[in-house]
Amino acid sequence: MPGAGTSRNVDAYPAGDKVLAIAEGTRDAVLVDPRTARVVRRMVLPVPASGAGVSRDGRTVAVGDAKGDVVIDDVKTGRILRRYGAHASVVTNLVFSPDGRTAASLSDDQKVMVWDVKSGKPRLTLQGHTGSILGGAFAPDGRTLYTDGLDSSVIKWDVSGGRSFGVTTPGFQRIPLKPVPTFWGYYAGWSADRRRAVLGYAWGLIATIDTATGRLVARDKPIKEISDLALSPDGRFAYIVSTDGTLRRWDVAARRFDKVTTLGTSQPKGMVSVSPDGRTLAVSTQLDNAVYILDASTFRRIAGRSVSGSPA
């Protein structure tokens, strides 16, 4: 990956049937065919990316930089729409609506800007957070935007243009989970119906949340450390990897681990992902950058060390 290194992570985004990978803080990007791992196209972004997003069809890339500029780039035609000084501080993230017509930029300046992708013009500026804004997601109909930030709040915005309000749902209980200052690592898995979330914290805590009510359903600490977490689409199982070299399956209802494997290697495990149908897992190892493909039910290897290389 050009531009990557020990001090620059690589972010990957689904882009239609391809994957767009960007080295953080650089203009370097590559479009990859995930079936063959072949680089289809090398791209030079208009600005060094502090935050980026890709439309679901892979046609449009939105990039923000450390100065607050926002750029919308049509990948097919090369048409670039740029807004200088859109934000007063670094752009942390950009997200697209499902139809790709709307994008939202999030920033350290505590503002959310909603953009018309075709014209590159801002539609709305939303204010309500009191800390840096990090994450965002549109509802399936594109009329509602959810954002979260370092002020420990999640805000639900109506971006239809009719009301444009933010709702912090004060009736929900504030979940009694506090970060530990010496650790940095929080992982969330969502069921396909979005009614259940399972959170994994780096220091080994697992929490189950009923997202319809905001209620903390369960809280357990069955393991010393968590590197990553993925939830099965039906919400029954959380797959958890750790630097102790294990992949474990957490039964959410029974609140216990019912399967564990090392994949035949003591390598610390780094990331885990589950397929949309819940049948297949992908697990990476940290030191040799290998990726293993597994049957999610049996933990049987479908493919062994399928990908390897030097760390990016």
Side-chain angles (χ1 to χ4, degrees):
M1 175 69 203
T6 56
S7 62
R8 295 189 187 277
N9 293 326
V10 174
D11 294 325
Y13 306 88
D17 60 353
K18 304 292 189 296
V19 173
L20 183 71
I22 300 173
E24 290 180 358
T26 77
R27 297 177 62 192
D28 296 304
V30 293
L31 202 61
V32 179
D33 184 333
R35 294 167 297 181
T36 64
R38 184 174 66 88
V39 175
V40 177
R41 179 181 171 189
R42 297 185 183 275
M43 300 172 58
V44 178
L45 302 175
V47 295
S50 62
V54 184
S55 61
R56 185 170 292 183
D57 60 8
R59 181 185 177 96
T60 310
V61 178
V63 182
D65 67 9
K67 297 184 295 184
D69 296 348
V70 172
V71 178
I72 299 174
D73 185 356
D74 188 309
V75 174
K76 187 173 182 179
T77 67
R79 180 176 181 237
I80 295 175
L81 300 170
R82 181 166 181 167
R83 302 291 293 198
Y84 291 94
H87 289 276
S89 186
V90 60
V91 178
T92 58
N93 201 352
L94 290 110
V95 291
F96 279 84
S97 61
D99 62 10
R101 296 178 181 176
T102 304
S105 57
L106 320 178
S107 173
D108 274 350
D109 69 1
Q110 304 174 16
K111 294 180 182 178
V112 179
M113 295 191 69
V114 180
W115 304 85
D116 178 85
V117 170
K118 186 175 182 179
S119 67
K121 294 181 178 179
R123 284 179 39 208
L124 298 166
T125 298
L126 308 174
Q127 299 184 64
H129 282 287
T130 57
S132 178
I133 308 170
L134 302 180
F138 279 91
D141 63 5
R143 295 170 61 90
T144 305
L145 172 67
Y146 300 87
T147 57
D148 69 81
L150 294 182
D151 59 359
S152 300
S153 71
V154 175
I155 298 182
K156 174 183 176 183
W157 306 97
D158 176 354
V159 295
S160 65
R163 292 173 292 176
S164 302
F165 59 82
V167 178
T168 55
T169 53
F172 286 2
Q173 72 177 63
R174 183 175 291 274
I175 297 169
L177 295 173
K178 298 291 186 181
V180 174
T182 56
F183 286 87
W184 180 261
Y186 318 95
Y187 312 97
W190 297 83
S191 59
D193 61 9
R194 292 299 190 261
R195 294 187 61 85
R196 172 179 287 176
V198 175
L199 309 181
Y201 288 74
W203 56 96
L205 179 71
I206 301 172
T208 303
I209 311 296
D210 182 330
T211 58
T213 63
R215 185 171 63 89
L216 177 64
V217 177
R219 173 177 175 162
D220 301 280
K221 192 179 183 302
I223 190 172
K224 289 183 178 180
E225 182 270 342
I226 294 174
S227 299
D228 197 14
L229 176 149
L231 191 64
S232 61
D234 59 11
R236 290 182 59 198
F237 300 111
Y239 301 96
I240 292 168
V241 290
S242 172
T243 57
D244 69 3
T246 61
L247 162 69
R248 299 169 186 261
R249 189 173 74 177
W250 176 257
D251 185 313
V252 175
R255 298 171 65 178
R256 63 181 178 87
F257 290 121
D258 65 359
K259 291 188 77 67
V260 60
T261 181
T262 63
L263 305 179
T265 172
S266 60
Q267 288 265 347
K269 306 306 186 285
M271 298 181 70
V272 59
S273 183
V274 59
S275 62
D277 62 8
R279 297 179 179 178
T280 309
L281 301 177
V283 178
S284 72
T285 49
Q286 289 186 351
L287 301 182
D288 61 0
N289 256 21
V291 175
Y292 296 86
I293 309 300
L294 311 175
D295 182 299
S297 176
T298 65
F299 280 9
R300 180 181 61 85
R301 282 197 209 174
I302 298 171
R305 180 177 169 154
S306 58
V307 178
S308 64
S310 58

